[in-house]
Amino acid sequence: MLEHGGRLHEAARRHGIPPGDWLDLSTGINPRGWPVPELPPEVWRRLPEEDDGLEHAARNYYGCTSLLPVAGSQAAIQALPLLRPACRVGIISPGYAEHAQAWRRAGHEVVPLAPDDIPCTLDELDALVIIHPNNPTGHAFDPARLLDWHARLAARGGWLVVDEAFIDATSAMSLARHAPLAGLVVLRSLGKFFGLAGTRVGFVLAEPSLLEALRERLGPWSIAHPSRHVARLAMEDETWQATTRTRLAQDSTRLARLLAAHGLAPHGGCALFQWICTPEAARIHEALARRGILTRLFGSPASLRFGLPATAAEWGRLAQALAEVMA
Amino acid sequence: MLEHGGRLHEAARRHGIPPGDWLDLSTGINPRGWPVPELPPEVWRRLPEEDDGLEHAARNYYGCTSLLPVAGSQAAIQALPLLRPACRVGIISPGYAEHAQAWRRAGHEVVPLAPDDIPCTLDELDALVIIHPNNPTGHAFDPARLLDWHARLAARGGWLVVDEAFIDATSAMSLARHAPLAGLVVLRSLGKFFGLAGTRVGFVLAEPSLLEALRERLGPWSIAHPSRHVARLAMEDETWQATTRTRLAQDSTRLARLLAAHGLAPHGGCALFQWICTPEAARIHEALARRGILTRLFGSPASLRFGLPATAAEWGRLAQALAEVMA
């Protein structure tokens, strides 16, 4: 298994600080997520059914008619490489490591690519996996450029896979409304923007034949019934979505400014996190952890990812800790 | 996809009866399941973590130290056949159809076996899949006999897979406390006895090397965080479990007597359902459905499965409908 953010229990043990005392900025999950109401008891008892309104809500939310709910985009990340014979796949790097691991494990040749290397390499690839905006670098592409790459790949039976886990707050960049197109696979998730990572609900937007193959492979009832129920309600709540888009834009800017004020000007970011390359990354990560603030440390390149604080007290705590650590 | 019980929305549409007006006896799920309390908000927001106490609770509940939580035993049913090279697998028949489908899809040769055919066929098999007690027939085996079959299979690298989805109310029959043994795979689920089918939580009890291969294949976070939280609490609630075992035994007997009183003496059953073979199965199924009572119809052999009513009103409604339909 790969390492991930959000390993709070582990950090709590290592630093001797109880889990409840941490400010966890390690994940990029909206800390003020969609507020889950009380649920009807039957969602725990009954098996989920496919015609429960979730797909309808998702079609409206994404502006796409051809989609499949999955148990988090992780489920799709693992299954997609099994739907192609061994091929050569370019994967944006650095980026969320589960993609490369899944394609390698399925026997494909993985070519890690920096964004600038993609255009000159594209003609040698059968598939290209983009994380958009990228995690952890925050790198974003012009959607027209992605569509051009898709057209070149699809013309020879290739795939463009776009993992849009962090795109909801800036959805004008999304390729969702262009789906379904042959050879285009868009991955979405309710984890980050909706702050519902615990529910394990994501979607694959793609042509029906690919979705059917995926559906067979994933089998029935892979998403919990309470999760389907909550996901439907959250996707229907357009008022909360609009308010949250505005607030995340403000908070993200505020985080970038706070970090810059302490000598940690971000090298990239998006609405849900900021990313800082610094040879001091490990020292800063450790010093913040000793103060009960968990960030995500990356080794190559040496860098840190900061998620958003939720409350005035949390913003104050982060500012105070940065002042001490960066003094 | 195979057909299953619990397709209430579909039945509601077909018969023009709103979903809320049905008495759904089609599933074998305990209708008085473990009562889910209000949940802490962070279970929706945060990714689940492996060291959250669920495995500890499960080890106590099953009396087995080597286990893996999965997103319903369905997830294990699909993944297990992928962990062996193509082989010859005997599967109890009639039985829950997902087993045979999963082994066939993975390229194995499936031999459907009636319980009486197993002893003389065992030496020609690489793996044997038992559903215990069987669904829908309710057939149960002597655990000593299952252990003998396991020993014969394991001696030549074979597997005995025992799906114990319906065993919790009669757990003395379970092989759980004998696991881990090389070549023994026990599948358990919180869907039926705990009445938590919506949560999608099950367990595989097997030797560590097999669990590790399964864990890699299923990937991280396949179970929703609220589901893990609820599952842990339910498995720790020994008072509820004891009360429920007693009540299910009473209700199951009551259901068998009620059916027999209307000319439908069960051919088999367990604590959670009764099973009746009758050439009239389709007619009775349809006549009950017109009265808003959903049962599970099987074609081969022509038979019906009845789950348990929950309340006095539901028992009365079933009795009334049976009196009309079987008049």
Side-chain angles (χ1 to χ4, degrees):
Chain A
M1 293 276 182
L2 296 169
E3 288 292 309
H4 290 278
R7 302 213 156 202
L8 190 57
H9 291 187
E10 200 177 299
R13 269 193 305 277
R14 200 158 65 85
H15 292 275
I17 302 172
D21 291 353
W22 284 80
L23 170 54
D24 184 2
L25 306 178
S26 71
T27 67
I29 294 168
N30 181 356
R32 294 166 65 182
W34 188 76
V36 175
E38 208 177 325
L39 304 185
E42 68 261 27
V43 299
W44 299 102
R45 187 167 53 83
R46 291 187 63 82
L47 284 171
E49 298 192 55
E50 284 186 8
D51 51 356
D52 58 1
L54 175 62
E55 294 190 23
H56 179 79
R59 283 187 210 107
N60 282 342
Y61 178 77
Y62 294 124
C64 169
T65 55
S66 182
L67 52 76
L68 179 72
V70 292
S73 41
Q74 177 68 25
I77 289 171
Q78 291 173 207
L80 278 173
L82 306 172
L83 303 183
R84 280 191 76 96
C87 76
R88 190 173 156 89
V89 53
I91 301 186
I92 197 165
S93 175
Y96 184 62
E98 292 281 346
H99 288 284
Q101 161 137 328
W103 286 87
R104 271 199 201 98
R105 188 159 48 193
H108 302 277
E109 179 192 355
V110 167
V111 186
L113 291 172
D116 289 347
D117 297 336
I118 294 172
C120 58
T121 315
L122 194 67
D123 290 338
E124 299 154 30
L125 300 175
D126 303 299
L128 173 64
V129 178
I130 298 285
I131 303 151
H132 193 223
N134 193 23
N135 170 20
T137 68
H139 188 93
F141 296 91
D142 180 346
R145 183 157 222 212
L146 294 181
L147 287 169
D148 172 57
W149 292 348
H150 162 260
R152 286 165 62 187
L153 286 158
R156 50 178 205 277
W159 283 2
L160 176 68
V161 178
V162 190
D163 178 349
E164 299 189 338
F166 285 99
I167 215 165
D168 297 61
T170 51
S171 51
M173 302 194 319
S174 171
L175 297 194
R177 66 181 182 284
H178 299 281
L181 290 175
L184 176 63
V185 182
V186 177
L187 306 182
R188 299 292 295 254
S189 163
L190 266 68
K192 309 306 190 303
F193 172 75
F194 285 99
L196 293 170
T199 60
R200 314 308 303 135
V201 179
F203 291 87
V204 181
L205 287 53
E207 53 186 328
S209 59
L210 189 146
L211 296 184
E212 197 46 45
L214 206 53
R215 184 193 302 269
E216 270 300 321
R217 186 164 284 274
L218 297 175
W221 318 303
S222 66
I223 306 174
H225 194 166
S227 296
R228 291 185 68 105
H229 183 87
V230 166
R232 178 176 62 76
L233 296 177
M235 298 180 100
E236 288 171 351
D237 190 348
E238 297 182 4
T239 307
W240 181 90
Q241 292 159 20
T243 310
T244 299
R245 276 198 188 92
T246 307
R247 189 182 53 73
L248 288 176
Q250 292 165 350
D251 283 358
S252 177
T253 304
R254 180 177 175 183
L255 178 60
R257 285 189 185 142
L258 174 64
L259 291 165
H262 292 93
L264 294 170
H267 292 72
C270 69
L272 286 153
F273 60 77
Q274 297 293 337
W275 180 64
I276 301 103
C277 276
T278 163
E280 283 210 289
R283 181 192 72 80
I284 299 168
H285 174 78
E286 181 67 17
L288 288 171
R290 280 201 304 270
R291 288 162 176 81
I293 297 177
L294 192 59
T295 57
R296 178 80 160 96
L297 174 67
F298 297 89
S300 175
S303 55
L304 286 171
R305 190 185 66 194
F306 285 77
L308 298 174
T311 63
E314 290 183 4
W315 283 102
R317 183 173 170 188
L318 176 61
Q320 173 66 34
L322 286 171
E324 291 169 18
V325 168
M326 300 303 292
Chain B
M1 291 277 182
L2 297 169
E3 288 292 310
H4 290 276
R7 299 210 160 208
L8 189 57
H9 291 186
E10 201 177 297
R13 271 193 305 276
R14 199 156 68 82
H15 292 276
I17 301 172
D21 291 352
W22 285 78
L23 170 54
D24 184 2
L25 305 179
S26 71
T27 67
I29 294 168
N30 180 356
R32 294 166 66 181
W34 188 76
V36 175
E38 208 179 323
L39 304 184
E42 68 262 26
V43 299
W44 299 100
R45 186 166 55 81
R46 293 186 62 83
L47 285 170
E49 299 190 53
E50 284 185 9
D51 51 358
D52 59 2
L54 174 62
E55 294 189 24
H56 179 77
R59 281 187 214 110
N60 282 342
Y61 178 76
Y62 294 123
C64 168
T65 55
S66 182
L67 51 76
L68 178 74
V70 293
S73 41
Q74 177 67 25
I77 290 171
Q78 291 172 207
L80 277 173
L82 306 172
L83 302 183
R84 278 191 77 97
C87 76
R88 189 172 158 88
V89 54
I91 301 186
I92 195 164
S93 176
Y96 184 62
E98 292 281 346
H99 287 284
Q101 159 135 327
W103 286 88
R104 271 198 201 98
R105 189 159 49 193
H108 301 276
E109 181 193 353
V110 168
V111 186
L113 291 172
D116 288 347
D117 297 337
I118 293 172
C120 58
T121 316
L122 195 67
D123 290 339
E124 298 156 29
L125 301 175
D126 303 300
L128 173 64
V129 178
I130 299 284
I131 303 151
H132 194 224
N134 193 22
N135 170 19
T137 68
H139 188 92
F141 296 90
D142 179 347
R145 181 159 224 212
L146 293 181
L147 286 170
D148 172 57
W149 292 349
H150 161 262
R152 286 165 61 187
L153 286 158
R156 50 179 205 275
W159 283 1
L160 176 69
V161 178
V162 190
D163 178 348
E164 299 188 339
F166 286 98
I167 215 166
D168 297 61
T170 50
S171 51
M173 302 193 320
S174 170
L175 297 194
R177 68 181 181 284
H178 299 280
L181 290 174
L184 175 64
V185 183
V186 178
L187 306 181
R188 299 292 296 251
S189 162
L190 266 68
K192 308 306 190 303
F193 173 75
F194 286 99
L196 293 171
T199 60
R200 314 308 301 130
V201 179
F203 290 86
V204 182
L205 285 52
E207 52 187 330
S209 58
L210 189 146
L211 297 184
E212 197 46 45
L214 205 53
R215 184 195 299 270
E216 270 298 323
R217 184 164 287 274
L218 298 173
W221 318 304
S222 66
I223 306 173
H225 193 165
S227 297
R228 290 184 69 106
H229 183 87
V230 167
R232 176 176 62 78
L233 295 177
M235 299 180 98
E236 288 170 352
D237 189 348
E238 296 180 6
T239 307
W240 182 90
Q241 292 158 21
T243 311
T244 298
R245 276 199 189 91
T246 307
R247 191 182 52 73
L248 288 176
Q250 291 165 350
D251 284 359
S252 177
T253 305
R254 179 176 176 182
L255 178 60
R257 286 187 185 144
L258 175 65
L259 291 165
H262 291 93
L264 294 171
H267 292 72
C270 68
L272 286 153
F273 61 76
Q274 296 293 339
W275 181 66
I276 301 102
C277 275
T278 164
E280 284 212 287
R283 181 194 72 79
I284 299 168
H285 174 79
E286 182 67 17
L288 288 171
R290 281 202 302 272
R291 289 161 176 83
I293 296 177
L294 192 60
T295 56
R296 178 82 161 94
L297 175 67
F298 297 88
S300 173
S303 55
L304 285 171
R305 190 186 64 196
F306 286 76
L308 299 173
T311 63
E314 291 183 3
W315 282 102
R317 184 173 170 188
L318 177 60
Q320 174 66 33
L322 286 171
E324 292 169 19
V325 167
M326 301 304 293

